[in-house]
Amino acid sequence: MAETKINHDNYTSEDIQVLEGLEAVRKRPGMYIGTTSEAGLHHLVWEIVDNSVDEALAGYATHIEITVDENDVVSVKDDGRGMPIEKHKKTGISTVETIFTVLHAGGKFGGGAYKVAGGLHGVGASVVNALSKWLEVKVYRDGKIYFARFKDGGQVEQHLKEIGTCDLSERGSLVSFKADDLIFKEGTVYKYKTLFDRIRQMAFLNKGIRFTFNWLKEDEHKGTTTFCYEGGIKEYVSFLDETERPAFEDILYCDGSDNSTNIAVEIALQYNTSYTEKVYSFCNNIFTPEGGMHLDGFRNTLRRIVSQYAKNIKVIKPEEPEFSYDDIKEGLTAIVSVKHPDPQYEGQTKGKLGNSEVKTVVNSVFGDYLKRYFLENPDVAKIIVDNAKNAQEARLAAQKARESVRRKDDFGGSNFPTKLKDCASRDASICEIYIVEGNSAGGSAEDGRDSNFQAVLPLRGKILNVEKARIHKIFDNAEIKMMIQAFGCGFGDEIDIEKLRYHKIVIMTDADVDGQHISTLMLTFLYRFFKPLIEEGYVYLAMPPLYKLYKGQKTLRYCYTDEELELAKRDFGDEKYDIQRYKGLGEMDADQLWETTLDPERRTLKRVTIEDAIDADSVFSMLMGDEVEPRKNFIIENAHFAKNLDI
Ligand code: TSJ
């Protein structure tokens, strides 16, 4: 390497260190970019792009263009001020060259501009240069075009020189590089999706900056995509909730900063009708998977202000407890994005923001905003507070149920769930439990089953009153508690699938509107409190027959659907037979139930998918909800079903 600089007049002993610096990067690339596999390769792109983002955040650039060509050469271009070209005081060479040849030089230039991009890995352009086969830079400034080129890990091939002129209005920086395959031994091939997703994310996180992504490779992705979100993280939230039903129209948004610490905070949030929490936090445009002070501040403030408001409007009575964060996280989608001049990252993977002053700033910016927003938007506030109240009631009911179940955890002696007709086998993988609704059906099922491996739990009483039930009310039901005991695996956050006592949980209800309601309720309940059981495929719906075709005492066949009945009618041709329509499971005797619905050789079970359960959940919410119109429509749409089966 030394040879390349001999012919340059201005080199001093300091410059030897320059080259040693880049050599160090090549010796231990992992120290600078984490890995030299795929992630490290893509890291090079972000190191360069971050500089342009900084220029845009400083208010000088509006457009950043990223291009990947057929040979995996990456080019990044912005319309900022153009990198400084004058000689650098310390190194005696141009600032541009210094930026690319001095390790950690990146942040030290340009009069203390507020550098916020990067942060976690912001090691700078020199590292990219060190790990590139070649790198070129062009600067457009004052009507002139400057050019420099480096090769083989940062050796100067062409010092910065003026190579032409351009329009005075044409300003900016352009960097192109080819990653070095001596370093990236797994290859230097970029992944479209990785680049696409991150560029889009940066566009969401930095409102108003226009990103253009050119993919020049001859594959299905070839072409140009432009990202520019004037709404920033507000649009990020609506993007994340694209497939959800919003709980209200507005997306809440606030921003603010603290002058003394230079911390900036931006928060956007929305509620949807699901139960999942999607809250993502960022510091300096970098995702912080382990959260940290910004996320803590957000959660505490949301919990505190929602509770306070609930007390004001008396949804929480003076003697009642405040909401926990768990109560307000259901259906919450939020982005918490902070900018910090000196972020400290901690945790296992350095993905947790440690600066405690961030929490204070978040508390104040977000707290002030939220208080005011609730006063100005009482309808939205009411929806949030009511949802939290429901979640809290469900949580407290679940807690009570858990305690009462836990006390009887041990199946020995009198603690055995009284209505459970258990099976003999203890081998969960072959055991089945039928949750049976219907007054006489439980009896038939008990008599008809194979008690070696089939257990039966009859459900009676009025969990059935779905129309008025809140989901947590079903914890009051004695049979439900027995069911939880029978499963043996706990529920909610404490579920332990290893302890599940049956690998088939079969819901068996009458094929009428009531039965439909009960299976909806059961699926909703299982979805909300036993989700892993559905995800692992342990939950089924029994498919009892709708019709029996018979002649005198002789059963000819069973039909499980109307279509099947039509086919059967044709098959029978001239033969005379009678049709019995089953209105409920109770009409079948034990043998019939075994033949048609219980016998593994002959029955049909429908495995419940998570989508089925989500559908049930939304039907349930709709049936429970305050909105009359969709409920009316649902009942009308299902009137055909009701007419068929309820006669
Ligand atoms: F760092 C880099 F080489 F990787 C790089 C820097 C790559 C790319 C694509 C763009 C940039 C970059 C740097 N874009 N804009 C700037 N701006 C400056 O370096 C700059 C210009 C003027 C002044 C000033 O104070 O006049 C200050 C700065 C930091």
Side-chain angles (χ1 to χ4, degrees):
M1 276 186 105
E3 290 87 338
T4 54
K5 59 188 187 75
I6 287 171
N7 51 14
H8 183 51
D9 310 331
N10 284 336
Y11 274 112
T12 65
S13 59
E14 275 176 71
D15 300 316
I16 301 201
Q17 298 221 305
V18 169
L19 291 176
E20 276 175 3
L22 294 198
E23 196 51 41
V25 177
R26 289 178 69 81
K27 262 195 194 127
R28 289 202 176 77
M31 295 263 291
Y32 299 87
I33 57 165
T35 78
T36 54
S37 55
E38 200 181 299
L41 177 72
H42 290 79
H43 201 101
L44 302 184
V45 182
W46 313 131
E47 283 299 336
I48 298 299
V49 172
D50 280 353
N51 291 281
S52 295
V53 172
D54 280 335
E55 185 73 357
L57 291 176
Y60 299 106
T62 62
H63 185 202
I64 299 169
E65 186 165 4
I66 298 143
T67 304
V68 179
D69 80 4
E70 301 90 326
N71 303 313
D72 290 293
V73 171
V74 176
S75 300
V76 180
K77 186 176 180 222
D78 70 48
D79 59 351
R81 290 167 291 182
M83 298 161 71
I85 39 122
E86 62 275 11
K87 266 190 188 175
H88 192 255
K89 289 179 229 75
K90 271 200 183 140
T91 57
I93 51 173
S94 70
T95 306
V96 169
E97 269 178 60
T98 312
I99 288 172
F100 283 101
T101 52
V102 180
L103 202 50
H104 287 299
K108 292 177 194 149
F109 297 88
Y114 180 51
K115 184 178 167 61
V116 289
L120 180 54
H121 307 287
V123 289
S126 59
V127 168
V128 178
N129 197 20
L131 302 177
S132 293
K133 207 172 187 59
W134 59 263
L135 181 146
E136 291 178 357
V137 51
K138 275 186 191 162
V139 175
Y140 301 77
R141 241 184 125 123
D142 306 324
K144 292 179 183 125
I145 306 171
Y146 301 86
F147 174 82
R149 183 176 163 100
F150 309 86
K151 64 168 187 187
D152 296 331
Q155 302 183 64
V156 179
E157 184 172 287
Q158 171 62 60
H159 285 291
L160 190 73
K161 66 164 184 182
E162 197 184 317
I163 57 160
T165 58
C166 61
D167 200 282
L168 261 179
S169 66
E170 200 181 329
R171 296 175 318 142
S173 312
L174 166 63
V175 170
S176 303
F177 64 93
K178 169 70 193 171
D180 193 340
D181 49 18
L182 293 174
I183 301 285
F184 297 94
K185 296 205 176 63
E186 290 175 26
T188 57
V189 180
Y190 291 93
K191 279 235 165 74
Y192 179 81
K193 191 178 181 319
T194 306
L195 297 171
F196 181 99
D197 286 349
R198 174 62 180 155
I199 293 169
R200 181 175 59 192
Q201 184 181 64
M202 283 196 289
F204 277 131
L205 291 170
N206 299 284
K207 63 177 153 200
I209 304 182
R210 190 155 57 94
F211 287 87
T212 300
F213 178 31
N214 302 306
W215 184 259
L216 305 185
K217 298 192 195 206
E218 295 292 339
D219 62 19
E220 74 265 36
H221 301 301
K222 185 179 170 123
T224 296
T225 317
T226 297
F227 304 97
C228 182
Y229 303 104
E230 292 302 336
I233 59 169
K234 209 169 160 171
E235 288 191 59
Y236 202 171
V237 165
S238 73
F239 165 77
L240 289 170
D241 269 0
E242 219 163 43
T243 58
E244 304 287 352
R245 208 148 46 90
F248 45 81
E249 217 171 280
D250 228 7
I251 296 174
L252 283 66
Y253 172 85
C254 67
D255 61 358
S257 54
D258 179 65
N259 288 335
S260 61
T261 52
N262 246 330
I263 296 169
V265 172
E266 245 190 305
I267 291 170
L269 72 95
Q270 162 72 301
Y271 278 90
N272 63 52
T273 56
S274 82
Y275 302 91
T276 9
E277 178 197 14
K278 283 181 281 187
V279 177
Y280 303 115
S281 63
F282 299 82
C283 180
N284 297 352
N285 290 327
I286 293 166
F287 179 46
T288 41
E290 298 175 80
M293 292 299 169
H294 49 346
L295 189 61
D296 291 353
F298 168 77
R299 288 179 166 163
N300 289 344
T301 302
L302 186 62
R303 191 204 66 75
R304 181 168 53 85
I305 306 291
V306 173
S307 293
Q308 217 167 66
Y309 188 85
K311 282 182 183 172
N312 288 347
I313 64 165
K314 311 237 159 15
V315 169
I316 295 181
K317 312 237 158 45
E319 68 277 10
E320 290 177 333
E322 289 194 352
F323 297 137
S324 72
Y325 180 72
D326 283 343
D327 301 331
I328 54 163
K329 73 176 182 189
E330 291 188 356
L332 173 65
T333 300
I335 298 291
V336 179
S337 172
V338 302
K339 306 264 163 83
H340 196 294
D342 182 27
Q344 304 299 315
Y345 296 98
E346 38 185 61
Q348 285 285 304
T349 53
K350 297 269 177 247
K352 183 176 179 185
L353 183 64
N355 309 64
S356 61
E357 66 280 10
V358 172
K359 196 165 165 174
T360 321
V361 182
V362 171
N363 284 346
S364 115
V365 171
F366 182 47
D368 291 351
Y369 164 80
L370 205 56
K371 263 187 246 170
R372 193 188 155 133
Y373 181 91
F374 282 172
L375 289 178
E376 288 170 0
N377 301 274
D379 295 354
V380 171
K382 184 82 165 65
I383 293 170
I384 295 175
V385 161
D386 284 349
N387 281 342
K389 183 73 181 171
N390 279 335
Q392 188 190 41
E393 283 176 1
R395 179 173 59 84
L396 296 175
Q399 193 178 316
K400 252 169 64 188
R402 188 173 277 136
E403 279 159 11
S404 77
V405 166
R406 198 175 278 141
R407 261 180 269 124
K408 301 173 199 160
D409 234 5
D410 170 15
F411 266 21
S414 62
N415 287 333
F416 191 83
T418 48
K419 299 233 174 92
L420 174 68
K421 312 296 173 204
D422 210 0
C423 54
S425 171
R426 289 279 78 92
D427 177 0
S429 70
I430 62 156
C431 287
E432 308 178 346
I433 182 168
Y434 277 76
I435 315 288
V436 187
E437 174 272 332
N439 276 330
S440 40
S444 303
E446 190 192 337
D447 296 338
R449 69 185 169 139
D450 181 336
S451 64
N452 283 315
F453 66 98
Q454 292 179 317
V456 171
L457 182 67
L459 290 185
R460 292 194 193 85
K462 285 291 170 191
I463 60 159
L464 318 184
N465 197 354
V466 193
E467 300 292 350
K468 290 191 200 80
R470 291 277 172 199
I471 187 76
H472 60 269
K473 288 271 191 248
I474 108 168
F475 281 111
D476 294 341
N477 181 277
E479 280 94 334
I480 293 291
K481 281 187 198 155
M482 286 182 220
M483 182 184 87
I484 296 168
Q485 276 178 282
F487 289 2
C489 60
F491 65 94
D493 299 337
E494 295 179 7
I495 226 165
D496 179 1
I497 288 215
E498 293 292 303
K499 292 195 177 142
L500 180 65
R501 298 174 67 249
Y502 314 92
H503 282 193
K504 284 198 173 68
I505 294 163
V506 188
I507 299 166
M508 186 159 77
T509 61
D510 286 342
D512 61 7
V513 165
D514 272 351
Q516 180 83 348
H517 276 174
I518 286 149
S519 57
T520 298
L521 176 68
M522 282 303 298
L523 286 187
T524 302
F525 178 68
L526 293 174
Y527 170 62
R528 294 202 202 169
F529 297 99
F530 291 91
K531 201 175 191 170
L533 302 190
I534 298 175
E535 286 166 339
E536 299 294 321
Y538 293 138
V539 181
Y540 298 82
L541 294 174
M543 303 288 279
L546 297 182
Y547 304 98
K548 180 173 78 171
L549 276 50
Y550 65 99
K551 206 171 182 174
Q553 290 298 307
K554 197 170 155 237
T555 300
L556 299 172
R557 67 183 277 185
Y558 295 101
C559 296
Y560 293 81
T561 63
D562 283 316
E563 293 74 45
E564 212 181 319
L565 177 68
E566 288 314 309
L567 285 176
K569 280 179 180 173
R570 266 179 252 155
D571 287 349
F572 279 111
D574 294 334
E575 197 174 347
K576 288 218 161 33
Y577 57 89
D578 289 304
I579 301 175
Q580 181 188 359
R581 176 197 287 276
Y582 288 116
K583 287 177 219 153
L585 293 164
E587 287 177 40
M588 267 181 264
D589 64 28
D591 290 340
Q592 287 173 330
L593 201 60
W594 167 254
E595 282 173 24
T596 60
T597 319
L598 300 176
D599 180 5
E601 300 292 318
R602 284 175 283 185
R603 72 184 175 194
T604 312
L605 292 184
K606 185 180 178 307
R607 179 177 268 162
V608 174
T609 65
I610 199 77
E611 287 77 23
D612 295 332
I614 290 170
D615 286 348
D617 189 81
S618 68
V619 167
F620 179 84
S621 301
M622 193 248 302
L623 290 170
M624 294 306 95
D626 299 324
E627 282 182 75
V628 177
E629 206 50 35
R631 178 161 55 234
K632 223 163 80 187
N633 291 340
F634 176 82
I635 291 169
I636 291 168
E637 277 162 31
N638 288 277
H640 153 82
F641 179 78
K643 203 167 67 205
N644 267 352
L645 296 168
D646 241 6
I647 35 172

